[in-house]
Amino acid sequence: MQILKVNKLTKSFGGLTAVSNVNMELNQGELVGLIGPNGAGKTTVFNLLTGIYVPTSGTITLFKDGKEKKLNGLPPYTICQSGLARTFQNIRLFKDLTVLDNVRIAMHSNVKYGLFSSFLQLPSCKKEEKELIEKSMELLKIFHLEHKKDELAKNLPYGEQRHLEIIRALATDPVLLLLDEPAAGMNPAETAQLTESISWIREKYNLTILLIEHDMSLVMKICERIYVLDYGMVIAHGTPDEIKNNKRVIEAYLGEDMSNA
Amino acid sequence: MKKIFENDGLKKLILLILIFGIVQLLITTGIISPYLQETLVTLCINIILAVSLNLITGFTGQLSLGHAGFMSIGAYTCALITLNMPTTTGFILGVLAGAVTAALFGFLVGLPTLRLKGDYLAIATLGMAEIIKVIFINLDSITNGAAGLNNIPQFVTWPWMFLFTAGTILIITNLLNSSHGRACISIREDEIASEAMGINTTKYKVAAFTIGAFFAGIAGALYASNFYFIEPNQFGFLKSIDVLVIVVFGGMGSISGSVIAATALAVISTLLQSFSEVRMILYAVLLVIIMIFRPQGLMGSKELSLSVLGRLGNSDSKKGRV
Amino acid sequence: MEQFLQQIINGISLGSIYALIALGYTMVYGIINLINFAHGDVYMIGAYIGYYCMTFLKLGFLPSLVIAMVICTLLGIAIEKIAYKPLRNSPRIAVLITAIGVSLFIEYATMFIVSANVRSYPQITEGLLAQSFKVGNITITAQQVIILVVTVILMVLLQFIVKKTRIGKAMRAVSLDKDAAELMGINVNTTISFTFALGSALAGAAGVLVGLYYSSINPFMGVMPGLKAFVAAVFGGIGIIPGAMVGGYCIGMVEVLVSGYGNSKFRDAVVFAILILILIVKPAGLFGKNTREKV
């Protein structure tokens, strides 16, 4: 069952076309990789999908609960509320806030009590606040961060900051999760652990995941399908095996990496 | 005894009643002279202004140099109402109307300008406040122009002052301890991430601005009802700066910091009363020195919480509760 | 029509003053991202120095102008060294408050020393400077000509310094990227001091010119023109030198026209309304480029 359809997505910055005519389809429950050399336009695709950039042309359609919804042109917060959540390549946590607050903020769009209730801390507000903490603690357990809930995000070690980014994205209650280089800067053992966690998260929360990653061991291990981007265009897509043997891909990007694999 | 102190709400209530009672007692016994009472009123007004500006600038991260503009709207609205209706009902109505009008302006001004960032927003809010001032100067038939409004009925007493000040602090603190407040704070931390996490940042910026303006309106209304006389120039750029100085001095993002800073500055100002010629010079020097040696302000973004106070009185409970 | 031309001429004079002050704002903002609120007060000091040179030392216009510029230069460097330099790595808001503190200090210290009285600039009653020219029904005073000539000379000089000299190149480099400039062997501190010096010299000149033109000065005369000059800098695109010049003339023109044809009491409101409008429509100013944050 299709969950996201990207049709002829294009983004130009002045004269430079960063993303050009990208078509992409994601099915419910899939784990799909988006790879390509540096500067191929991967993060730009994420920024387009999540509304941070407005596409120059093309459409992005989300299929959720049997309804289709055009996402292109919507502001980022609406897109997030529609069920697309993301992490950032260059970690953008709320650095000076606690781990718990980082997670609770991401849950905000599902909070029902109003401003007035919060002015007076009415029972509706107090009750929901309690639930928020409980839910946050559940999520923090995924990466064993529950005992660090009161630490400031900036004081976490690098790997845990990446974990917190994923937890924060999950807290928005998404159907589709976009992970931008989740394993960047991690050592092989950490990457292996992350690989397992990502699979586990997908099962547990019934998610579709699209992931940008440079670590080929991770991509080849968990992705069911892969899109390869070069100079803003999709130059290939298929299963990891197909991609491994695709001549254009090898030329454009993988080269030696794959002959060693 | 220990059990009572474990209820946060009750602790707050006891603290509030204590402060109110002690000050009331000092006033009735004449220890707080009429002159000091005036200082007390100014202090309360400054606290309301600083706490409300802190919501906008310290917590939501939107630098505003126009807070006095909202204050003037509250002041004029309340003054005009109480001049025509010099009763306690008129006063209450005036304060509320002043707050609502200021909030309305905050909303109307905030909607277009809050797309701007940092210094651009600062300078736009400054311009906005100047425009409000010029309008008050030119609405001769209503505001009596630059000469200002005189003989405004005086209603402000310590109980009223306390009610509004404590109310402002409580409501804004409650807001900040809620999901809506955290949404505001996330904008200060990282606007792009905040938006990507589903928060309508424009909505919350405008909300913070509107709520801040609302309380600035209250402060203005109380000002008018206490000092008999208002004129547009009292609410100029310098007044906005005064408030911002309190916020930064106390610590951006610390409500207790704002209260402490407002109090400290009131004390300093009273002490320097007899050196009126050099008072402003010393104030300016102090400002620069504080910023050089403690740019994050007295409290940083930390709060002086009741659990800390509780710990002071209760040495056996080692860990402060959250 | 003649009245309109007369207004334009008055607008050019006022605009010159704003442009000179705006240049200092824009250069300082360009180099350390600071709204230097004390800049308007440097201009005020310039006016006072000019006043004392002319009345007590009985100096002529040109020596007074030069002395005012030199003293303002020193003042600008001192302000930067004492108040801003220790805060180079502090939060922006702390520096902003410091700037406000410095501004208040200069105003009240001046008031303490020279009292709050309004002083009258000596009127030049003889010689070339007292002349005025009539073209049809339009009057152009020698003072207006001097304001324009001095402003143009200073602007050309500034452009030369910024575009053609080593220190000018350093200024441009530091304003683009302080760290990279430092790595390339540029002395960032000297460059910043120099920028303050240049801006303050121009403000000092503006002070003397405005004293001559409006003939009365007081310790708080710098506040409003300072703010409006900043508006002018934003209008033209902050950090861009030609932008500040054009912005200054535009704001001066608008003010004169509003006073001339509308209600002079609304003059300030119109200026600030234009500011808000331009910020909303084109926040980077007339000559600025929109930049976006990389995600």
Side-chain angles (χ1 to χ4, degrees):
Chain A
M1 198 180 73
Q2 209 172 43
I3 185 157
L4 187 83
K5 185 175 165 65
V6 175
N7 190 26
K8 293 188 177 164
L9 192 65
T10 301
K11 176 71 188 175
S12 325
F13 296 103
L16 179 90
T17 306
V19 170
S20 145
N21 274 319
V22 165
N23 293 318
M24 204 184 263
E25 279 173 32
L26 301 180
N27 297 318
Q28 166 65 39
E30 258 187 326
L31 211 167
V32 178
L34 180 62
I35 63 173
N38 283 327
K42 306 180 296 288
T43 297
T44 308
V45 169
F46 268 30
N47 286 339
L48 289 168
L49 292 180
T50 52
I52 288 174
Y53 295 157
V54 179
T56 309
S57 64
T59 57
I60 303 161
T61 319
L62 181 75
F63 302 89
K64 188 184 166 190
D65 310 325
K67 278 180 235 143
E68 58 179 87
K69 184 170 185 180
K70 287 266 182 294
L71 297 183
N72 42 300
L74 294 180
Y77 70 89
T78 320
I79 293 179
C80 174
Q81 288 167 6
S82 313
L84 254 75
R86 72 173 290 177
T87 65
F88 291 91
Q89 182 185 1
N90 48 346
I91 306 184
R92 294 191 87 125
L93 290 169
F94 305 120
K95 292 198 302 289
D96 288 314
L97 302 184
T98 64
V99 168
L100 178 65
D101 279 346
N102 267 277
V103 183
R104 281 196 288 181
I105 285 167
M107 289 178 174
H108 175 71
S109 49
N110 293 322
V111 162
K112 285 174 203 71
Y113 71 84
L115 266 174
F116 191 74
S117 174
S118 74
F119 289 154
L120 304 175
Q121 296 270 336
L122 295 180
S124 61
C125 166
K126 282 191 172 157
K127 180 166 159 278
E128 234 186 309
E129 281 294 312
K130 222 175 127 195
E131 289 169 7
L132 279 184
I133 296 181
E134 284 163 10
K135 273 195 242 167
S136 305
M137 295 310 283
E138 278 306 306
L139 287 170
L140 285 172
K141 279 179 191 155
I142 300 174
F143 288 110
H144 312 293
L145 284 172
E146 67 273 22
H147 58 286
K148 293 197 169 175
K149 72 176 171 61
D150 294 324
E151 277 196 43
L152 297 186
K154 66 177 176 192
N155 294 338
L156 292 182
Y158 181 79
E160 287 184 350
Q161 292 196 14
R162 288 226 168 269
H163 290 161
L164 183 55
E165 275 246 337
I166 298 177
I167 293 174
R168 188 177 66 168
L170 282 175
T172 64
D173 195 19
V175 291
L176 174 59
L177 184 61
L178 307 175
L179 302 175
D180 199 345
E181 296 198 31
M186 290 190 175
N187 65 33
E190 286 170 334
T191 305
Q193 209 185 8
L194 180 74
T195 312
E196 273 177 38
S197 302
I198 291 175
S199 304
W200 182 83
I201 288 168
R202 170 169 68 149
E203 296 300 321
K204 163 104 187 195
Y205 296 96
N206 189 26
L207 288 172
T208 309
I209 296 178
L210 178 65
L211 125 148
I212 295 176
E213 188 49 69
H214 278 300
D215 189 309
M216 282 307 135
S217 66
L218 188 151
V219 175
M220 293 299 165
K221 190 165 169 203
I222 59 173
C223 292
E224 284 132 18
R225 282 194 303 128
I226 295 174
Y227 282 87
V228 187
L229 218 56
D230 194 19
Y231 294 109
M233 282 175 283
V234 175
I235 56 166
H237 79 270
T239 63
D241 281 330
E242 287 165 3
I243 295 298
K244 265 184 210 174
N245 302 317
N246 184 307
K247 226 179 135 203
R248 275 190 77 187
V249 176
I250 295 169
E251 270 171 23
Y253 165 55
L254 295 172
E256 275 181 302
D257 253 6
M258 285 318 294
S259 44
N260 294 343
Chain B
M1 195 63 191
K2 204 174 166 185
K3 193 142 197 178
I4 294 173
F5 275 105
E6 271 172 22
N7 185 324
D8 238 20
L10 204 60
K11 269 200 282 186
K12 276 184 198 161
L13 197 68
I14 292 171
L15 188 73
L16 287 177
I17 292 172
L18 267 176
I19 294 174
F20 174 73
I22 291 170
V23 174
Q24 183 64 59
L25 194 73
L26 292 175
I27 292 174
T28 352
T29 54
I31 296 173
I32 294 185
S33 64
Y35 170 71
L36 281 181
Q37 275 190 50
E38 294 297 279
T39 311
L40 189 67
V41 170
T42 311
L43 167 63
C44 287
I45 289 171
N46 280 345
I47 288 177
I48 298 177
L49 286 170
V51 168
S52 56
L53 181 64
N54 209 338
L55 171 68
I56 299 172
T57 301
F59 289 95
T60 316
Q62 309 301 309
L63 182 53
S64 167
L65 293 179
H67 216 50
F70 299 130
M71 185 189 177
S72 68
I73 291 174
Y76 271 94
T77 311
C78 181
L80 290 170
I81 290 177
T82 48
L83 278 170
N84 291 310
M85 194 177 164
T87 57
T88 308
T89 325
F91 166 65
I92 296 170
L93 202 71
V95 174
L96 285 179
V100 170
T101 319
L104 192 71
F105 263 81
F107 178 78
L108 292 176
V109 169
L111 215 53
T113 53
L114 283 165
R115 288 187 305 152
L116 302 168
K117 299 208 191 316
D119 294 342
Y120 288 114
L121 176 66
I123 210 77
T125 48
L126 188 163
M128 177 273 308
E130 288 297 319
I131 292 174
I132 292 176
K133 195 176 91 183
V134 173
I135 290 173
F136 277 132
I137 292 176
N138 286 287
L139 280 177
D140 280 329
S141 55
I142 306 170
T143 63
N144 199 24
L149 289 173
N150 222 326
N151 292 323
I152 302 162
Q154 208 241 23
F155 286 101
V156 174
T157 54
W158 165 244
W160 279 121
M161 214 62 225
F162 181 79
L163 180 75
F164 284 114
T165 313
T168 305
I169 297 174
L170 269 180
I171 287 178
I172 292 185
T173 315
N174 281 344
L175 168 68
L176 290 167
N177 284 325
S178 77
S179 195
H180 299 286
R182 285 190 298 270
C184 290
I185 298 170
S186 75
I187 299 173
R188 172 193 77 193
E189 289 290 308
D190 187 331
E191 194 171 339
I192 287 177
S194 170
E195 182 111 341
M197 293 306 130
I199 288 164
N200 184 345
T201 50
T202 311
K203 177 179 145 189
Y204 278 98
K205 280 196 264 184
V206 174
F209 212 65
T210 310
I211 296 166
F214 180 90
F215 287 106
I218 289 186
L222 295 174
Y223 183 93
S225 295
N226 186 72
F227 292 103
Y228 307 102
F229 167 68
I230 51 172
E231 56 164 342
N233 282 325
Q234 287 166 335
F235 309 101
F237 176 54
L238 273 180
K239 184 68 206 172
S240 297
I241 293 300
D242 272 352
V243 184
L244 184 67
V245 164
I246 298 175
V247 172
V248 177
F249 180 35
M252 305 251 287
S254 172
I255 295 291
S256 39
S258 290
V259 177
I260 294 168
T263 315
L265 287 174
V267 170
I268 292 171
S269 161
T270 312
L271 291 178
L272 291 177
Q273 194 59 35
S274 39
F275 309 96
S276 60
E277 282 197 316
V278 290
R279 190 166 78 156
M280 283 305 288
I281 304 180
L282 289 176
Y283 174 74
V285 172
L286 194 71
L287 214 58
V288 175
I289 292 176
I290 292 170
M291 284 305 109
I292 290 177
F293 291 103
R294 203 166 165 80
Q296 75 277 37
L298 287 174
M299 300 290 291
S301 60
K302 295 193 175 61
E303 293 290 353
L304 185 68
S305 66
L306 283 165
S307 55
V308 176
L309 288 178
R311 231 181 307 170
L312 290 176
N314 230 10
S315 55
D316 55 324
S317 65
K318 287 241 163 65
K319 242 181 132 187
R321 292 183 316 113
V322 184
Chain C
M1 189 60 200
E2 273 165 353
Q3 197 202 345
F4 180 74
L5 282 175
Q6 183 70 58
Q7 302 287 6
I8 295 286
I9 288 165
N10 296 342
I12 288 174
S13 306
L14 185 61
S16 300
I17 311 268
Y18 285 149
L20 285 176
I21 311 176
L23 284 168
Y25 268 117
T26 224
M27 287 192 291
V28 166
Y29 194 94
I31 210 152
I32 54 171
N33 280 331
L34 163 71
I35 304 178
N36 181 14
F37 275 109
H39 193 62
D41 302 299
V42 173
Y43 148 87
M44 177 270 291
I45 294 289
Y48 270 91
I49 303 287
Y51 169 78
Y52 283 106
C53 285
M54 289 187 201
T55 48
F56 289 101
L57 303 176
K58 308 278 183 222
L59 294 175
F61 165 72
L62 219 56
S64 304
L65 182 75
V66 173
I67 293 176
M69 286 176 72
V70 170
I71 294 184
C72 285
T73 303
L74 298 176
L75 179 66
I77 295 175
I79 292 173
E80 197 276 325
K81 284 273 183 275
I82 297 167
Y84 301 152
K85 200 177 156 212
L87 287 156
R88 208 50 64 72
N89 297 315
S90 302
R92 301 264 305 273
I93 180 95
V95 195
L96 193 77
I97 298 282
T98 309
I100 291 163
V102 173
S103 163
L104 291 177
F105 176 78
I106 298 177
E107 284 159 19
Y108 284 93
T110 308
M111 193 174 98
F112 184 67
I113 297 166
V114 305
S115 88
N117 299 342
V118 174
R119 304 286 171 122
S120 296
Y121 246 64
Q123 285 301 303
I124 298 165
T125 45
E126 50 196 76
L128 196 64
L129 288 179
Q131 303 282 329
S132 64
F133 315 100
K134 284 226 173 222
V135 183
N137 281 332
I138 305 158
T139 316
I140 305 171
T141 63
Q143 293 166 359
Q144 289 178 321
V145 176
I146 287 176
I147 289 177
L148 187 63
V149 170
V150 171
T151 306
V152 169
I153 292 174
L154 290 176
M155 282 178 179
V156 170
L157 212 63
L158 178 72
Q159 277 296 348
F160 174 78
I161 292 173
V162 173
K163 294 278 183 213
K164 302 284 180 196
T165 61
R166 269 174 68 88
I167 188 84
K169 204 180 268 180
M171 278 170 65
R172 282 180 287 147
V174 173
S175 75
L176 277 179
D177 189 332
K178 208 164 24 181
D179 296 333
E182 189 144 36
L183 289 173
M184 294 301 123
I186 291 170
N187 186 335
V188 171
N189 283 328
T190 313
T191 312
I192 292 175
S193 289
F194 186 76
T195 309
F196 272 86
L198 271 185
S200 305
L202 295 177
V208 178
L209 292 176
V210 91
L212 207 62
Y213 191 52
Y214 287 118
S215 74
S216 76
I217 57 174
N218 71 71
F220 298 95
M221 64 182 272
V223 179
M224 249 309 150
L227 287 180
K228 284 187 197 152
F230 185 75
V231 171
V234 173
F235 186 86
I238 194 134
I240 303 164
I241 289 175
M245 297 179 190
V246 175
Y249 282 106
C250 288
I251 298 294
M253 215 62 95
V254 166
E255 257 199 62
V256 168
L257 291 178
V258 171
S259 307
Y261 292 102
N263 182 344
S264 69
K265 283 201 220 153
F266 278 105
R267 195 180 60 194
D268 297 354
V270 172
V271 170
F272 286 109
I274 289 176
L275 166 79
I276 292 177
L277 216 63
I278 196 130
L279 283 176
I280 291 167
V281 179
K282 198 167 185 310
L286 282 183
F287 295 87
K289 287 197 187 77
N290 284 311
T291 49
R292 68 184 321 145
E293 196 179 348
K294 190 164 161 56
V295 182

